[in-house]
DNA sequence: CGTCTTTGACCTGCGC
DNA sequence: GCGCAGGTCAAAGACG
């Protein structure tokens, strides 16, 4: 996919390169050309015939050059001119061989002047961005130092508490001790895709060593421990079990936390708040409501059904699935049809995958992670802060699509519901007229199964931009292989989202892009029947 | 035969 | 303490 235009440009450049190989400087030019052609290819993918974009892109190249070697500005500019002649001059040479050198020189000079002017502008902009970056870096560093200080204080408290517990009784002490180690781990679980993958955030690794105070097992190890503990201990139920299973026994956490808070941390209200917030984090759920006749929406993961229950107030049973892509993946999901409208499928996700994921699953993972992080960032400040206006993501989503993304603080655990169903009954007319996302949802051919990818990307990039939370999101969406057209669509969607401050508008653009991108290839999303066909593991 | 689904039993927490 | 509801386990059966 990528290579086609690159090779096009590359072939031309190589042909020219063969003619001018004696000059060393032109080797630099060739390198730049390779990079340039690839970049330009990306731009041309978005708008092939847009000359302005091409020009802007050329300016970008020169801007980067100027960053690297400001003294060689003139040469960099010449590079751009060479590129111009490389692309267009070849055609001219075949048509107008008799062009005078003066004309070419004049044109080159004009272009040169224009480009230098643009270069100046870009340098100014570059400087401004650098200032902003340095400012953000400073803020980040100061926040990190504060975090480190808080962690140290907490660690000291824990160590002093351990001494106290040693005298009180070992069993009870172990429980409390694990409570203190458990919460941060879950805290991290909601971070970069459980951190066991290679996309672990650099910051979190340092923090984790501090949090676990000692030689903490990797999350993968801990996951294995969980699984082993589960199988070995069975129902004997150790604290490890309650720690490990973020999904199960949801009521344990509040109880433990409340008791531990009351028993141990009364001296410090901050710790109470923190444990409550962290407990909240553990139970953060992302619920996706989508209209689908299929038993499950296709999210790219392999799931194994481990239970089914009749939920109160709903004639439709609730199915419980766990991720089977890795042996100890903690991610689980519930699937249930809406009682009022059985065509609506409610899928609730919890946890983060601790293994590499296929692109489609990455999208969903980023959805749940970003949405959960959105929840958590709001709940960090206070329990009532789920809708805290300081939550940038919430602010980004809710003002324009309050009926689409709702956050429930009244639930036993915070749940963000992404309502991807349009309302044919017109319960809320404003929803469809004012909400760009809903407009796209209503479009014929729209498939809710694609939406998690869109929302995930949108949430992810929105949060990447805002960086409002201390949680580090997984970099998964960035590593989606470029060979998939879905990933292309996602990339385009990402770019659209990243470039648009208005989340809903960006989301709409993203959906457009994905719909366009997937309409020709993504037959597996046709009315969600792909669940049984394209993804053979999603049985039911 | 291995894997997956089904389904009844069991566990846990919460409210009364 | 009891009942209810949510969640999980594990034996049994189905399926390829």
């Amino acid at each position: 996919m990528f290579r086609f235009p690159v090779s096009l440009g590359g072939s031309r450049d190589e042909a020219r390169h063969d003619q001018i190989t004696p000059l060393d400087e032109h080797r630099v030019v060739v390198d730049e050309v390779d990079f340039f052609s690839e970049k330009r290819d990306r731009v041309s993918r978005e708008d092939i015939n847009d000359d302005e974009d091409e020009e802007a892109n050329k300016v970008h190249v020169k801007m980067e050059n100027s960053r690297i070697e400001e003294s060689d500005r003139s040469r960099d500019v010449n590079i751009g001119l060479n590129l111009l002649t490389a692309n267009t001059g070849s055609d001219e040479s075949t048509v107008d061989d008799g062009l005078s050198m003066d004309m070419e020189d004049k044109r080159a000079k004009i272009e040169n002047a224009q480009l230098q002017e643009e270069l100046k502008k870009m340098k100014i902009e570059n400087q401004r961005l650098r200032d902003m970056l340095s400012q953000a870096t400073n803020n980040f560093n100061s926040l990190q130092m504060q975090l480190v200080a808080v962690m140290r204080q907490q660690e000291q408290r824990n160590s002093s508490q351990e001494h106290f517990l040693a005298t009180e009784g070992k069993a009870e002490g172990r429980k409390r001790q694990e409570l203190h180690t458990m919460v941060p781990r879950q805290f991290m679980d909601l971070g970069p895709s459980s951190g066991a993958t290679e996309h672990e955030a650099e910051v979190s690794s340092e923090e984790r060593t501090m949090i676990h105070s000692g030689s903490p097992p990797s999350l993968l190890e801990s996951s294995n421990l969980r699984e082993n503990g589960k199988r070995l201990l069975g129902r004997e139920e150790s604290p490890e079990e309650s720690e490990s299973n973020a999904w199960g026994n949801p009521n344990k956490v509040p109880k433990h936390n409340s008791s531990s808070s009351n028993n141990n941390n009364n001296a410090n209200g901050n710790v109470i708040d923190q444990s409550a917030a962290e407990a909240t984090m553990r139970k953060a759920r992302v619920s996706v409501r989508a209209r689908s006749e299929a038993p499950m929406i296709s999210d790219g993961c392999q799931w194994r059904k481990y239970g089914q229950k009749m939920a109160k107030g709903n004639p439709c049973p609730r199915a419980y699935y766990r991720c089977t892509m890795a042996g100890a993946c903690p991610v689980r999901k519930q699937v249930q049809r809406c009682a009022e409208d059985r065509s609506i499928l409610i899928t609730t996700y919890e946890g983060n995958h601790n293994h590499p994921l296929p692109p489609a699953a990455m999208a969903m993972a980023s959805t749940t992670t970003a949405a959960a992080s959105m929840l958590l960032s709001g709940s960090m400040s206070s329990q009532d802060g789920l809708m805290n206006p300081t939550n940038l993501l919430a602010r980004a989503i809710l003002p324009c699509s309050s009926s689409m993304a709702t956050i429930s603080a009244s639930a036993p655990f915070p749940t963000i519901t992404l309502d991807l169903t349009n309302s044919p009954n017109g319960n809320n007319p404003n929803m469809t007229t004012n909400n760009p996302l809903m407009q796209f949802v209503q479009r014929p051919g729209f498939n809710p199964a694609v939406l998690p990818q869109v929302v995930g990307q949108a949430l992810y990039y929105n949060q990447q931009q805002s960086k409002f939370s201390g949680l580090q999101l997984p970099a998964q969406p960035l590593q989606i292989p470029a060979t998939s057209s879905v990933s292309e669509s996602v990339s385009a969607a990402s770019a659209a989202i990243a470039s648009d401050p208005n989340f809903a508008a960006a989301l709409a653009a993203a959906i457009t892009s994905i719909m366009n991108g997937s309409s020709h290839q993504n037959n597996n999303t046709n009315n969600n029947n792909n669940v049984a066909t394209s993804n053979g593991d999603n049985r039911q």
Side-chain angles (χ1 to χ4, degrees):
Chain A
M1 294 273 190
F2 262 0
R3 286 185 180 175
F4 174 62
V6 171
S7 62
L8 258 184
S11 62
R12 285 185 188 178
D13 296 331
E14 281 175 6
R16 291 191 152 255
H17 178 64
D18 290 337
Q19 295 172 356
I20 51 182
T21 37
L23 299 177
D24 282 345
E25 286 191 357
H26 283 71
R27 288 187 182 171
V28 180
V29 172
V30 169
D31 289 338
E32 297 289 345
V33 166
D34 288 338
F35 180 62
F36 172 79
S37 58
E38 187 174 347
K39 286 198 92 176
R40 192 184 57 176
D41 172 50
R42 291 178 188 168
V43 174
S44 63
R45 192 180 304 279
E46 293 169 5
D47 194 352
I48 296 172
N49 293 325
D50 196 340
D51 291 333
E52 290 181 3
D53 279 358
E54 275 192 0
E55 260 196 355
N57 199 36
K58 288 166 193 167
V59 171
H60 271 298
V61 173
K62 284 188 281 293
M63 182 180 68
E64 290 179 1
N65 288 339
S66 70
R67 254 184 250 159
I68 297 169
E69 294 182 23
E70 301 213 355
S71 61
D72 292 340
R73 193 190 310 165
S74 60
R75 192 179 66 180
D76 293 335
V77 173
N78 285 335
I79 290 169
L81 290 176
N82 284 340
L83 283 175
L84 280 175
T85 54
N87 290 334
T88 61
S90 59
D91 295 337
E92 286 177 4
S93 65
T94 57
V95 177
D96 298 327
D97 275 338
L99 265 181
S100 68
M101 292 295 289
D102 290 344
M103 288 289 290
E104 281 187 0
D105 285 346
K106 278 181 183 176
R107 263 180 42 191
K109 281 177 183 175
I110 292 171
E111 284 177 342
N112 196 350
Q114 288 176 348
L115 291 172
Q116 280 185 350
E117 203 166 334
E118 280 179 314
L119 179 63
K120 280 181 185 175
K121 288 180 187 173
M122 297 307 289
K123 281 179 76 175
I124 294 171
E125 177 75 9
N126 193 14
Q127 184 61 39
R128 199 172 60 85
L129 290 173
R130 279 186 201 175
D131 292 343
M132 289 171 62
L133 180 63
S134 63
Q135 198 172 349
T137 306
N138 289 337
N139 291 340
F140 172 76
N141 287 335
S142 62
L143 280 174
Q144 199 173 13
M145 289 178 67
Q146 288 179 19
L147 178 66
V148 167
V150 168
M151 293 296 186
R152 278 182 187 161
Q153 286 179 6
Q154 192 177 6
E155 199 176 1
Q156 285 175 356
R157 267 188 230 113
N158 286 343
S159 59
S160 62
Q161 215 164 48
E162 284 173 18
H163 288 300
F164 172 71
L165 291 173
T167 62
E168 275 228 335
K170 285 182 180 176
E172 188 70 17
R174 218 177 300 143
K175 262 187 188 176
R176 295 175 183 177
Q177 191 176 341
E178 290 194 34
L179 272 171
H180 287 289
T181 57
M182 153 184 94
V183 173
R185 188 180 300 173
Q186 288 296 332
F187 176 91
M188 287 303 161
D189 270 350
L190 285 158
S193 184
S194 291
T197 64
E198 62 269 17
H199 322 299
E200 205 164 58
E202 308 102 29
V203 179
S204 61
S205 62
E206 287 182 13
E207 292 171 356
R208 196 173 298 125
T209 54
M210 294 191 56
I211 290 168
H212 293 298
S213 66
S215 56
S218 71
L219 288 173
L220 201 56
E221 284 175 316
S222 71
S223 296
N224 289 332
L225 281 175
R226 301 169 194 174
E227 198 71 10
N228 292 338
K230 225 182 269 176
R231 296 191 191 284
L232 291 174
L233 298 173
R235 306 261 174 152
E236 285 306 307
E237 177 60 42
S238 65
E240 179 71 22
E241 165 78 9
S242 64
E243 165 190 356
S244 63
N245 201 341
W247 181 276
N249 302 325
N251 295 322
K252 278 184 184 176
V253 178
K255 187 185 182 183
H256 284 316
N257 272 328
S258 61
S259 60
S260 66
S261 300
N262 292 333
N263 293 337
N264 302 326
N265 297 323
N266 273 342
N268 194 330
N270 290 336
V271 178
I272 297 175
D273 285 346
Q274 191 176 359
S275 58
E278 286 161 351
T280 300
M281 279 183 229
R282 293 189 61 214
K283 309 318 303 174
R285 290 182 176 183
V286 179
S287 181
V288 178
R289 287 167 55 95
R291 215 170 273 280
S292 171
E293 298 302 322
M296 278 203 304
I297 62 174
S298 174
D299 48 26
C301 273
Q302 295 176 0
W303 301 97
R304 177 173 181 164
K305 190 175 183 179
Y306 67 89
Q308 181 168 310
K309 275 292 256 193
M310 293 301 297
K312 189 185 177 187
N314 193 336
C316 303
R318 175 185 300 162
Y320 299 90
Y321 297 86
R322 65 165 57 105
C323 177
T324 58
M325 294 190 79
C329 182
V331 176
R332 304 190 180 189
K333 77 171 180 181
Q334 299 175 352
V335 178
Q336 188 174 31
R337 295 214 164 269
C338 181
E340 293 89 19
D341 186 351
R342 300 195 183 189
S343 65
I344 295 176
L345 202 63
I346 304 170
T347 308
T348 307
Y349 295 87
E350 184 176 308
N352 283 302
H353 298 277
N354 58 1
H355 52 85
L357 293 169
M362 284 180 190
M364 176 52 83
S366 66
T367 300
T368 55
T369 304
S373 298
M374 167 183 167
L375 258 184
L376 304 184
S377 67
S379 63
M380 291 274 283
S381 52
S382 71
Q383 193 68 13
D384 296 330
L386 292 171
M387 306 291 284
N388 195 323
T390 58
N391 186 330
L392 297 181
L393 238 186
R395 272 194 294 163
I397 291 179
L398 297 177
C400 58
S401 55
S402 59
S403 57
M404 193 195 82
T406 55
I407 301 176
S408 168
S410 59
F413 17 76
T415 303
I416 179 169
T417 301
L418 305 177
D419 194 348
L420 309 181
T421 64
N422 56 342
S423 171
N425 300 329
N427 292 334
N428 186 0
N430 290 334
M431 181 176 79
T432 53
T433 55
N434 296 336
N435 186 342
L437 180 56
M438 295 314 298
Q439 292 171 7
F440 281 91
V441 170
Q442 283 192 325
R443 280 171 58 166
F446 178 82
N447 191 334
V450 193
L451 260 165
Q453 303 176 14
V454 187
V455 178
Q457 295 297 321
L459 286 169
Y460 173 76
Y461 278 96
N462 197 305
Q463 188 175 35
Q464 280 293 87
Q465 282 200 318
S466 59
K467 293 195 189 308
F468 57 84
S469 170
L471 295 171
Q472 296 291 323
L473 284 173
Q476 291 164 341
L478 299 177
Q479 63 157 201
I480 294 173
T483 53
S484 158
S485 55
V486 172
S487 63
E488 286 179 15
S489 305
V490 170
S491 297
S494 307
I497 289 165
S499 62
D500 195 329
N502 185 320
F503 177 83
L507 201 51
I511 293 169
T512 305
S513 137
I514 285 195
M515 286 178 68
N516 292 337
S518 60
S519 60
H520 60 279
Q521 63 86 30
N522 198 10
N523 288 331
N524 66 351
T525 60
N526 184 16
N527 207 18
N528 294 333
N529 289 331
N530 61 314
V531 174
T533 57
S534 71
N535 190 355
D537 294 307
N538 290 337
R539 308 175 189 173
Q540 188 178 354

